[in-house]
Amino acid sequence: MPIVLAFSGGLDTSFCVPYLQETYDAPVHTVTVDTGGLTDSDRTAVEARARDLGADAHHLVDGRAQLYDDHLSYLITGNVLKGGVYPLCVGPERIVQARAVATVAQEIGAETVAHGSTGAGNDQVRFDVALRLVGDALDVLAPIRRLGLTRGESTAFLEERGFSVPTDTTDYSINRGLWGTTIGGQETLTATQPLPEQAYPDTTPPTDAPDTPQTLTVTFEEGLPVAIDGTPLSGVDLVEALTEIGGAHGVGRDIHVGDTILGIKGRIGFEAPAAEILIAAHRELEKVVLSEEQQIRKQALGDVYGRLLHEGQYFDPVMRDIEAFLDHSQDVVSGTVAVKLFKGTAQVQGVDSPHSMFDAGTATYGEENALWDGRDAEGYTTLAAVSSRLAKKARTDASTTASEDAPAPSASP
């Protein structure tokens, strides 16, 4: 019975191929899921690595469209930024990868799947939860976690069997994906130091970005981006295009501190140009077409949605409930948004929508209006103060009563 292994080609998943074959005397099928950031040469190299390690078969799955449709679309409509900063570059990828691994297992009749997660990070939770929910009859193995291996021990295991282990050429751990790239290094092990310029692999340093700003327009239909400067694009193509355009202007760099699934603090650098541009544009469009209460409720639900997705809880029923709310809220979120890219910033310049509530024909702020007159406004201001006036009076009365009831100070002996 074959074992299906989620395979990136890195040290941990490379270890798993011969280890699983030797330990379980079973053929190993490796599965690489492209969730963005892979070039043609990357795909070829990963397959070659799997073959060199002795994998009995290798499967490449293009998961970019599923990632966009099932996950990124809701991160956009929900304006999701964890901690107000991080656009969730990695968490959704693991859900897509786990689902693809389970699908391959079902297709070839495998009952066991494996991944290379350690016992220290978030990915083990994301993989385990997703694999057990999409393939409830599957056994899940995590050899690195179970054995508690160090990177040195994994390297020695491979070298003893004649497998090469490439020497790291960088001090930084890089994870590229459709929604962004995460960066881990010595600086992210503490909360005190910024990442140096050279740690960001793909975006231009803002100081070296073009001296002339670029303004582009993003067209939205029912909450989702559909065109750049009038050119229609699929969701995946649009995100990839904005990643390239924004990256050239140094847009999307930042560093995030947050709480990991296992309860400790974590810190990660990232570059996500498309996410910064799209969330900024979408949020400003919503300000023009949605009511204040809609925006407030959406913000709260978007935060919940992002937290649960980040923690691997995509399959909780509440996620479908929140998605239904988000879908309904986007009926009028259509229009174009102009965004200026310059020296690391993405600044919204203006919004145009057929559903705009910004109606200059109804009222001019601070001047004339067509829906009320000065007497209505005067009455409203009186009523608007009632609650605060009553609260002030109640507190003043209570303070006075307490002062009167207090015993007089005794005379000094």
Side-chain angles (χ1 to χ4, degrees):
M1 186 69 69
I3 297 173
V4 176
L5 170 66
F7 186 77
S8 68
L11 175 61
D12 291 334
T13 57
S14 292
F15 165 87
C16 289
V17 177
Y19 173 82
L20 291 170
Q21 290 172 327
E22 294 176 16
T23 304
Y24 297 94
D25 191 24
V28 174
H29 287 233
T30 52
V31 181
T32 298
V33 185
D34 181 2
T35 50
L38 293 182
T39 64
D40 289 339
S41 61
D42 291 333
R43 299 180 188 97
T44 300
V46 171
E47 180 172 1
R49 178 65 171 167
R51 300 289 187 185
D52 290 343
L53 290 164
D56 296 87
H58 180 73
H59 307 260
L60 175 66
V61 179
D62 189 345
R64 291 174 298 169
Q66 184 183 29
L67 175 64
Y68 181 85
D69 293 340
D70 290 354
H71 303 289
L72 303 190
S73 61
Y74 288 106
L75 297 184
I76 295 169
T77 58
N79 302 319
V80 176
L81 293 173
K82 185 170 174 58
V85 176
Y86 177 52
L88 302 189
C89 302
V90 177
E93 292 183 22
R94 301 298 180 248
I95 305 300
V96 172
Q97 291 161 355
R99 295 174 80 174
V101 168
T103 297
V104 171
Q106 292 163 355
E107 290 172 350
I108 67 173
E111 296 178 354
T112 304
V113 295
H115 59 83
S117 299
T118 70
N122 290 328
D123 283 346
Q124 59 176 324
V125 179
R126 295 162 178 158
F127 273 121
D128 281 10
V129 171
L131 286 168
R132 288 180 173 129
L133 282 164
V134 299
D136 54 8
L138 294 173
D139 292 325
V140 180
L141 302 175
I144 300 293
R145 178 179 63 192
R146 185 173 65 82
L147 298 172
L149 296 179
T150 65
R151 293 182 66 82
E153 290 169 334
S154 298
T155 297
F157 176 91
L158 290 170
E159 289 178 340
E160 288 170 2
R161 288 154 179 77
F163 299 118
S164 64
V165 179
T167 302
D168 287 340
T169 58
T170 176
D171 294 327
Y172 297 94
S173 173
I174 305 297
N175 185 90
R176 288 183 174 90
L178 180 63
W179 200 224
T181 296
T182 57
I183 308 122
Q186 187 65 35
E187 296 84 1
T188 61
L189 299 179
T190 70
T192 59
Q193 298 296 317
L195 285 170
E197 295 284 0
Q198 65 269 23
Y200 294 94
D202 300 318
T203 55
T204 301
T207 53
D208 297 336
D211 294 329
T212 302
Q214 177 180 354
T215 299
L216 52 81
T217 60
V218 181
T219 302
F220 289 85
E221 290 183 3
E222 296 186 355
L224 294 178
V226 296
I228 301 173
D229 290 335
T231 301
L233 294 167
S234 70
V236 171
D237 290 343
L238 189 145
V239 170
E240 291 179 338
L242 286 181
T243 295
E244 182 176 351
I245 296 169
H249 289 274
V251 171
R253 292 183 171 198
D254 213 332
I255 195 163
H256 166 65
V257 175
D259 297 285
T260 68
I261 300 173
L262 300 181
I264 63 174
K265 295 290 183 181
R267 192 167 184 247
I268 195 75
F270 64 90
E271 50 183 18
E276 179 168 338
I277 294 167
L278 288 173
I279 290 178
H282 180 267
R283 186 173 54 231
E284 291 304 306
L285 176 58
E286 284 194 325
K287 290 178 183 179
V288 170
V289 301
L290 296 185
S291 72
E292 180 181 19
E293 284 298 325
Q294 281 181 299
Q295 294 174 64
I296 292 171
R297 306 307 171 190
K298 275 190 77 270
Q299 181 62 53
L301 286 175
D303 289 344
V304 173
Y305 190 86
R307 177 176 59 79
L308 291 175
L309 182 59
H310 178 75
E311 296 176 356
Q313 297 301 321
Y314 172 73
F315 297 97
D316 191 292
V318 74
M319 298 293 273
R320 308 292 82 76
D321 299 334
I322 297 174
E323 288 168 356
F325 177 92
L326 293 175
D327 286 339
H328 188 272
S329 73
Q330 299 302 293
D331 288 350
V332 295
V333 186
S334 298
T336 58
V337 183
V339 184
K340 183 175 74 173
L341 311 178
F342 185 59
K343 298 290 186 182
T345 64
Q347 191 175 60
V348 174
Q349 302 298 289
V351 174
D352 184 31
S353 172
H355 307 295
S356 175
M357 295 171 65
F358 202 99
D359 187 355
T362 298
T364 302
Y365 181 75
E367 297 180 16
E368 299 177 351
N369 59 76
L371 298 182
W372 68 87
D373 61 26
R375 292 171 300 171
D376 298 319
E378 182 178 358
Y380 175 78
T381 60
T382 300
L383 294 175
V386 167
S387 179
S388 295
R389 289 175 65 187
L390 290 173
K392 179 181 179 181
K393 182 178 183 301
R395 284 157 177 76
T396 301
D397 291 347
S399 177
T400 301
T401 301
S403 177
E404 293 173 347
D405 292 343
S410 58
S412 299

